[in-house]
Amino acid sequence: MKKLFCIVAVSMMMVPALKAQNQGSMYVGGRFGIDVGTASTTLKAGNETITEKDSSIPNTFTISPEFGYFVMDNWEVNANLKYGISSFIQKKNSSGTHEFTFGVGTNYHIQLCDRISYAPGIGLDFGLQNRYSKVDSGSVKVRESDTGFLFGMDFQLARFNFRLNDHFALDLNVLGMKYGLASYGGNDEGLSYTSNRNSFRFGTGSLGLRYYF
């Protein structure tokens, strides 16, 4: 089955075979992704603790430029900047998040054939998450927004690299899992509070383009 997959893929691209990713190779590129999941928020204010679980969180769309370096044959380390947005709209009410993060990660390429590699990996993200909500009931309009610190882990379970020629490659991830922890804090009418939001997301896919040099 593996041989058949490689033969079909290479035949479709109709270009000469290439060598594997070598030590010292570098690339720049970018990815666009979408994922869905669930989230829960724990709010502590004074002596009270409230945990609220969302039934689901909206689709999250992300875009991330990336740079990578191969420290050994087939083993890359990378860094990226990422922007993500999610929103939920119901009639005149809406809520959502904006995320800005810096990430580092590593992937190991297992050659399926000369031009195609399976590249599972893991990444860590650090940055900010802004959450907002808008409520419009006609006579009353309320908008709330606050910003907290965001930490995330990204498990890339089914990521593949398709070399098109000496310099360009397609980067495809068809299955991933992400965990995020956003921490907020503030003061509301003299009462201090902290809020932690845990999210679990399941990547439905990401597609990117790389330029190797």
Side-chain angles (χ1 to χ4, degrees):
M1 180 63 71
K2 185 175 75 171
K3 291 183 179 179
L4 178 61
F5 171 74
C6 293
I7 292 173
V8 172
V10 173
S11 298
M12 291 177 62
M13 288 185 280
M14 295 295 290
V15 288
L18 297 176
K19 294 182 180 180
Q21 290 83 353
N22 297 323
Q23 181 179 5
S25 297
M26 295 180 286
Y27 70 85
V28 293
R31 286 189 294 158
F32 172 79
I34 179 174
D35 49 65
V36 296
T38 62
S40 63
T41 301
T42 300
L43 174 65
K44 294 182 179 181
N47 296 323
E48 294 188 11
T49 300
I50 301 174
T51 300
E52 182 180 274
K53 183 177 181 180
D54 301 339
S55 59
S56 65
I57 55 179
N59 293 344
T60 301
F61 299 91
T62 60
I63 184 170
S64 56
E66 186 175 84
F67 169 80
Y69 177 78
F70 283 81
V71 295
M72 295 176 59
D73 288 353
N74 298 322
W75 182 21
E76 70 165 273
V77 294
N78 51 65
N80 65 78
L81 296 174
K82 186 181 300 179
Y83 169 70
I85 182 173
S86 66
S87 61
F88 178 79
I89 300 175
Q90 185 177 21
K91 295 183 178 180
K92 295 183 179 181
N93 303 329
S94 64
S95 62
T97 62
H98 297 276
E99 299 176 357
F100 304 89
T101 61
F102 168 75
V104 293
T106 183
N107 295 78
Y108 188 80
H109 292 250
I110 302 171
Q111 295 301 131
L112 301 180
C113 56
D114 288 337
R115 303 184 52 79
I116 304 172
S117 63
Y118 167 56
I122 185 173
L124 300 176
D125 295 318
F126 308 89
L128 300 175
Q129 181 185 84
N130 173 264
R131 60 182 179 182
Y132 69 89
S133 63
K134 299 178 183 178
V135 178
D136 186 350
S137 60
S139 58
V140 178
K141 296 182 179 180
V142 178
R143 175 183 172 88
E144 296 181 344
S145 175
D146 58 351
T147 301
F149 173 76
L150 176 64
F151 167 76
M153 298 182 68
D154 182 7
F155 300 93
Q156 301 154 15
L157 305 179
R159 188 171 179 176
F160 297 88
N161 195 253
F162 299 83
R163 292 295 294 266
L164 302 177
N165 53 41
D166 286 337
H167 295 290
F168 287 98
L170 289 178
D171 180 38
L172 176 66
N173 185 33
V174 295
L175 177 63
M177 294 190 300
K178 299 178 181 180
Y179 167 74
L181 172 62
S183 298
Y184 298 83
N187 190 289
D188 185 10
E189 297 182 354
L191 181 63
S192 297
Y193 71 89
T194 60
S195 175
N196 293 321
R197 186 171 190 264
N198 292 277
S199 63
F200 297 90
R201 296 173 180 171
F202 306 92
T204 56
S206 69
L207 179 64
L209 182 66
R210 293 181 174 188
Y211 178 81
Y212 286 88
F213 57 94

